[in-house]
Amino acid sequence: MVTSHIAIPPKISTEERKDRLRALRASMAEHAVDVVILSPGSSMRYFTGLGWGETERLVCALVDREAIEFICPRFEASSLTASVSIGIDHASYWEEHEDPHRLTANRLKARNAISVALDANCSFGHASRLFDAADGVQCKRADTVIAPLRACKSEAELALMKAAKQITLDVHQQIFESLQVGVRSSEVKAEIDRLHKAAGSDHGSSFCAVQFGEATSYPHGVPGDPALQPGELILIDTGCTLDGYNSDITRSYALDQVDRRVEEVWAIEKEAQAATFAAARPGLACEELDRIARDCLEAYDLGPDYQLPGLPHRVGHGIGLDIHEGPYLVRGDQTPLEPGMCFSNEPMIVVPQVFGVRLEDHFYITSDGAAWFTEPQKSLYEPF
C-alpha cells in the first residue's frame, strides 16, 4: 500500500494577504466603490486569513480605500485577534443585546460611504437587516470587484493546491489497492477520511462520494449504504483542503471485467477529457472548452447538449478556496482564460439508470497552454 508523504507547503503569508488588500483597493477605485463589506467565508479568508463561517451573529469587515474595520461580538474579540492573520487595526464590538446591523450602518455613515459592495457570501437575512439600517446606501454585489482578483492564483496558492490534490490522488490509490467485493460505501468513506487526515489535510475529507453499479449514473449519488458486488463499476469522488485550498478528484474503475459498453464509454470519457485539456490556452473563452468536450461526445452519438446518454452538466468549474468558484467552463461564460486560473475537467457521461463514468482532474492555465495538477487516470482496470 502507498503511504502519502506529501510535503505541506507554507500557508499564505501575511505579506501576500496585504498585497491582496492593496489589489482590492485598486479594484474598488476602478469600480467607484467606497466600501467593500466582507462576510465570513472564502473572500474573508482570502483577504484577512479569518476562516470563520457565518452564523446568526453578525461578523463582517468594512474595507475602505485606506483601512479595514472588523464588526464582531465583543465576547469573540480574543478569538478574532488570534484568527486574523493581517492583524487588527480597527474593530467595533457589540454586546449581545445590541443591534450589530445598526452599528455597521453607523460605521458606514462615519465613512460617508454611498457606494457599497457586499460579499456574495453574506446571507439575505444579514444583508436585508443591514441595508434597512443603512438607508440611502447604494448596494451592489462585490463579485465584479473581488472575483477577478481571486481567479488567477499565485505561486503560493498553486503550491497548496498541488499538494492537496496529490494527497487526494494518493488516497485514491490506497483505496483502489484495498477495495474488495462486499465492502460498504460507508466503510470506504471512513477510510478515505482517515487517510486524508493522516496525510496532513486541514480536516480530513472535505467531501466524499462512493458509488457502485447503477448508482454511478447519478452524478452526486443516491442515499443508502450499498455493498460492492462482483463486476460493478466504481466511482469515487473526494477531496480535502490545505490552508483552505481544495482538491477534488474523481476516479471511475472496475476490479473485474465489466460490460463492453462500459469499456467503450470509459474510453470516450477519456478522449473528451484529453481534448478539453489540449485546447486550453490563454485568451480562449471558458465556454469554448465546454463546447469542445460536447463536440467530442456528439461524435459518438452522445447528447447533444445536456441530453442523455451524454453530459448532464458543465464540463468544469473553477477551484480555489471554494471548491466551486468562477469562472466556469460552461456555455455562456465568455471569460478569457488567463495564466493562474484553475479548473476541474470532468465531462461526465451518464447512461441513465445503468451507469455513469466521470474522470475528474484539475489543470491550471500557463503562459502557453495548460498544466495538470495531477496526471489523469490511465485505464479502466489499471487506474494507477
Side-chain angles (χ1 to χ4, degrees):
M1 177 177 288
V2 173
T3 301
S4 184
H5 294 292
I6 306 302
I8 307 300
K11 293 184 176 183
I12 300 299
S13 69
T14 298
E15 275 310 305
E16 180 161 338
R17 294 198 196 280
K18 289 180 177 179
D19 286 342
R20 294 172 179 181
L21 282 169
R22 283 188 279 270
L24 175 60
R25 291 188 173 106
S27 183
M28 290 166 61
E30 180 183 348
H31 290 88
V33 169
D34 298 321
V35 174
V36 166
I37 303 178
L38 299 175
S39 295
S42 56
S43 288
M44 176 82 86
R45 183 167 191 165
Y46 181 82
F47 291 109
T48 75
L50 182 65
W52 293 1
E54 190 180 71
T55 71
E56 81 283 4
R57 293 184 172 100
L58 179 67
V59 175
C60 63
L62 310 182
V63 183
D64 64 22
R65 305 288 181 84
E66 297 179 356
I68 180 169
E69 178 178 0
F70 289 87
I71 310 292
C72 181
R74 186 171 296 280
F75 75 90
E76 296 278 28
S78 58
S79 295
L80 182 73
T81 301
S83 302
V84 175
S85 64
I86 59 171
I88 296 178
D89 296 325
H90 307 285
S92 292
Y93 298 109
W94 55 275
E95 302 290 5
E96 288 279 77
H97 67 285
E98 295 177 324
D99 181 350
H101 303 92
R102 173 60 59 186
L103 170 62
T104 304
N106 289 339
R107 300 310 300 151
L108 291 173
K109 183 178 180 180
R111 290 173 168 77
N112 296 313
I114 300 299
S115 176
V116 173
L118 181 63
D119 192 338
N121 284 316
C122 186
S123 69
F124 177 78
H126 280 312
S128 61
R129 290 194 291 271
L130 175 59
F131 289 104
D132 282 347
D135 186 40
V137 168
Q138 298 170 5
C139 180
K140 62 182 75 174
R141 288 169 60 100
D143 298 24
T144 55
V145 181
I146 292 175
L149 306 180
R150 290 183 50 186
C152 298
K153 274 56 178 180
S154 69
E155 289 300 321
E157 291 176 289
L158 291 174
L160 286 162
M161 293 172 70
K162 287 175 184 177
K165 293 172 196 299
Q166 190 59 56
I167 285 172
T168 293
L169 189 63
D170 283 3
V171 168
H172 268 291
Q173 181 169 355
Q174 292 178 74
I175 291 299
F176 168 72
E177 293 175 352
S178 65
L179 274 180
Q180 295 181 345
V181 169
V183 68
R184 293 201 169 273
S185 63
S186 61
E187 297 174 295
V188 180
K189 291 176 185 177
E191 181 63 3
I192 288 172
D193 184 57
R194 187 191 71 79
L195 290 170
H196 270 137
K197 288 177 181 175
S201 67
D202 291 340
H203 308 291
S205 300
S206 51
F207 72 98
C208 187
V210 176
Q211 299 156 235
F212 305 141
E214 180 188 341
T216 62
S217 69
Y218 301 89
H220 290 144
V222 292
D225 188 21
L228 177 61
Q229 303 302 312
E232 284 191 320
L233 183 66
I234 299 161
L235 188 156
I236 298 178
D237 184 2
T238 189
C240 68
T241 61
L242 285 178
D243 198 23
Y245 287 88
N246 283 274
S247 64
D248 177 12
I249 299 175
T250 306
R251 290 290 177 261
S252 297
Y253 52 78
L255 304 182
D256 311 302
Q257 190 78 27
V258 292
D259 184 84
R260 176 70 175 173
R261 181 57 175 159
V262 176
E263 295 177 340
E264 292 172 348
V265 168
W266 192 96
I268 296 168
E269 168 80 354
K270 173 78 170 174
E271 182 179 335
Q273 188 193 45
T276 302
F277 174 79
R281 64 184 184 277
L284 189 73
C286 285
E287 66 177 358
E288 283 299 299
L289 294 184
D290 186 85
R291 180 191 61 78
I292 288 164
R294 292 182 195 281
D295 285 351
C296 183
L297 299 188
E298 286 178 29
Y300 294 96
D301 296 322
L302 295 167
D305 294 327
Y306 302 102
Q307 295 180 36
L308 302 181
L311 171 55
H313 52 64
R314 64 196 173 207
V315 78
H317 57 81
I319 188 167
L321 284 172
D322 290 313
I323 194 166
H324 292 174
E325 62 181 43
Y328 295 93
L329 306 183
V330 67
R331 184 187 307 162
D333 193 331
Q334 298 178 6
T335 306
L337 299 175
E338 295 182 48
M341 287 182 173
C342 304
F343 299 97
S344 73
N345 183 352
E346 47 179 319
M348 182 179 192
I349 301 172
V350 170
V351 180
Q353 298 181 310
V354 183
F355 69 91
V357 176
R358 180 164 69 248
L359 304 178
E360 180 184 11
D361 294 275
H362 292 235
F363 63 86
Y364 57 96
I365 302 299
T366 67
S367 60
D368 57 0
W372 290 114
F373 279 105
T374 50
E375 286 298 314
Q377 185 172 331
K378 300 302 182 185
S379 73
L380 174 62
Y381 298 108
E382 296 181 355
F384 301 97

